[in-house]
Amino acid sequence: MSVNNPASRLLKIIQDGQKQKKDQQAADAWAAILNVPKDDKSLLLSRVGQVMALPGAIKGEIEQLDNINHQLHLKWLPSVEKSFGILNLQIQCKQFIERFNAETIFGLEVCDDALGRNRPEKVADPGSLESLLKDVNALIADLKEDELSPDLRDFIFEHLTLVKNAVEEYKIRGIRPLEAEVERLTGAVARNPQVWIRTRETDLGKRFWHVMGNLAIATTIVVGQLQIGHEVFDALSPGDGTPPTVQTDVEVNINMLTNDFDTDEKSSGTLPKPALPNGYGKS
């Protein structure tokens, strides 16, 4: 299953729930499904709340499609909303998950098919997300020991936390929160270029921009085509110490990232792992 729309994400979560032990507490089942520590109840409630928002997201996406019967495609919605309405983390898992019968699953599959063909979202590589989260967690840990000025520490910590949450919630929310963080960070640098210069004066700051550059690449690469504004690489890629500028009217063709590939790779129709732009990641 290509998890490229909210219907496919909800289906995947339900399928994972159906694999859980039916007699265990719902809280334990949800913690396993969403990869949340069992003892972090606040985080668990937050993530479950995001799952409960998926039916509304599916409805919104389906209603954007023309030439289909919206009411027919959303016939499953009242049943699912009722199921989420009675959700209690203290009940047994089976009391909730067994409410998703074959008719409900079929309805979600129909929506998944329609959205996957007509309104697909980009899908991030799982290995890239795993590596990104590992780097982000390492930076957060090192940030506690690094002697940064309070304003730079707060800036880096805020953006690392947003990326961490977006990666951990990818199973529920998809790629859009990660894309939003790239845009947020690019805008922050455009408004205050000095923060880019000052953070680059530290080893941890250089690592931060390297990780954010990898985030920019991970959220803009799709099989078959790539369009990414110069501002992303200007703002997020290490350069020669010159403050970045934003040029929203210029786009970079995929060949600018794939010029290290041979002709056979380019013509194969499959996008290999991209080479970083010249000078990227170097001090």
Side-chain angles (χ1 to χ4, degrees), residues 130-184:
E130 183 179 351
S131 177
L132 180 63
L133 183 59
K134 180 180 178 181
D135 290 342
V136 167
N137 284 334
L139 276 172
I140 290 175
D142 292 345
L143 187 61
K144 299 175 183 178
E145 307 297 330
D146 200 270
E147 295 182 359
L148 285 171
S149 63
D151 61 324
L152 295 184
R153 184 188 301 276
D154 290 346
F155 175 85
I156 292 176
F157 180 75
E158 175 187 357
H159 288 283
L160 288 176
T161 301
L162 289 169
V163 174
K164 174 181 171 67
N165 290 338
V167 173
E168 292 179 344
E169 295 164 1
Y170 176 81
K171 179 176 184 176
I172 309 171
R173 303 176 67 195
I175 202 168
R176 287 175 181 169
L178 288 165
E179 293 176 320
E181 174 52 20
V182 173
E183 296 170 1
R184 184 184 295 108

Side-chain angles (χ1 to χ4, degrees), residues 2-276:
S2 179
V3 190
N4 64 0
N5 65 80
S8 63
R9 291 195 290 275
L10 182 55
L11 270 172
K12 180 65 169 60
I13 290 169
I14 292 171
Q15 290 169 354
D16 289 347
Q18 291 171 336
K19 298 174 185 176
Q20 298 296 313
K21 295 179 180 179
K22 300 299 187 293
D23 58 350
Q24 68 177 318
Q25 193 178 63
D28 293 338
W30 278 112
I33 295 167
L34 303 179
N35 195 28
V36 174
K38 290 183 179 182
D39 58 349
D40 196 337
K41 300 302 183 183
S42 295
L43 181 60
L44 180 60
L45 288 170
S46 173
R47 298 279 163 82
V48 171
Q50 291 169 1
V51 175
M52 295 173 69
L54 283 175
I58 297 168
K59 179 176 183 288
E61 290 292 306
I62 287 293
E63 290 177 342
Q64 295 299 312
L65 300 180
D66 297 326
N67 303 319
I68 68 167
N69 186 322
H70 296 160
Q71 185 175 1
L72 182 63
H73 275 70
L74 297 172
K75 190 176 180 180
W76 54 271
L77 184 59
S79 174
V80 170
E81 289 179 332
K82 183 176 181 180
S83 297
F84 279 126
I86 66 168
L87 177 59
N88 184 329
L89 295 183
Q90 306 305 315
I91 64 176
Q92 286 187 323
C93 176
K94 66 180 181 180
Q95 292 177 263
F96 172 75
I97 203 65
E98 289 180 353
R99 297 180 66 90
F100 293 89
N101 56 29
E103 182 180 354
T104 299
I105 296 299
F106 178 73
L108 286 170
E109 289 174 339
V110 171
C111 289
D112 178 22
D113 176 71
L115 295 177
R117 287 185 290 106
N118 297 287
R119 292 180 65 81
E121 302 169 6
K122 286 177 285 188
V123 178
D125 174 65
S128 297
L129 291 182
E130 183 179 351
S131 177
L132 180 63
L133 183 59
K134 180 180 178 181
D135 290 342
V136 167
N137 284 334
L139 276 172
I140 290 175
D142 292 345
L143 187 61
K144 299 175 183 178
E145 307 297 330
D146 200 270
E147 295 182 359
L148 285 171
S149 63
D151 61 324
L152 295 184
R153 184 188 301 276
D154 290 346
F155 175 85
I156 292 176
F157 180 75
E158 175 187 357
H159 288 283
L160 288 176
T161 301
L162 289 169
V163 174
K164 174 181 171 67
N165 290 338
V167 173
E168 292 179 344
E169 295 164 1
Y170 176 81
K171 179 176 184 176
I172 309 171
R173 303 176 67 195
I175 202 168
R176 287 175 181 169
L178 288 165
E179 293 176 320
E181 174 52 20
V182 173
E183 296 170 1
R184 184 184 295 108
L185 186 58
T186 303
V189 172
R191 292 190 300 271
N192 183 12
Q194 283 297 317
V195 74
W196 185 83
I197 296 174
R198 291 173 60 209
T199 50
R200 293 250 320 129
E201 293 173 349
T202 69
D203 289 338
L204 190 140
K206 292 176 183 177
R207 288 170 56 199
F208 169 75
W209 290 113
H210 179 83
V211 170
M212 295 301 104
N214 287 341
L215 168 65
I217 292 173
T219 56
T220 50
I221 291 176
V222 291
V223 174
Q225 65 180 21
L226 166 65
Q227 290 187 327
I228 178 171
H230 267 311
E231 70 276 10
V232 174
F233 285 118
D234 285 344
L236 303 187
S237 302
D240 58 4
T242 303
T245 58
V246 175
Q247 301 175 359
T248 57
D249 58 337
V250 182
E251 291 183 337
V252 180
N253 187 276
I254 189 172
N255 289 331
M256 297 185 69
L257 290 184
T258 60
N259 55 13
D260 289 338
F261 305 143
D262 59 34
T263 304
D264 291 339
E265 286 176 317
K266 287 181 180 179
S267 61
S268 67
T270 301
L271 181 64
K273 185 175 181 179
L276 296 176

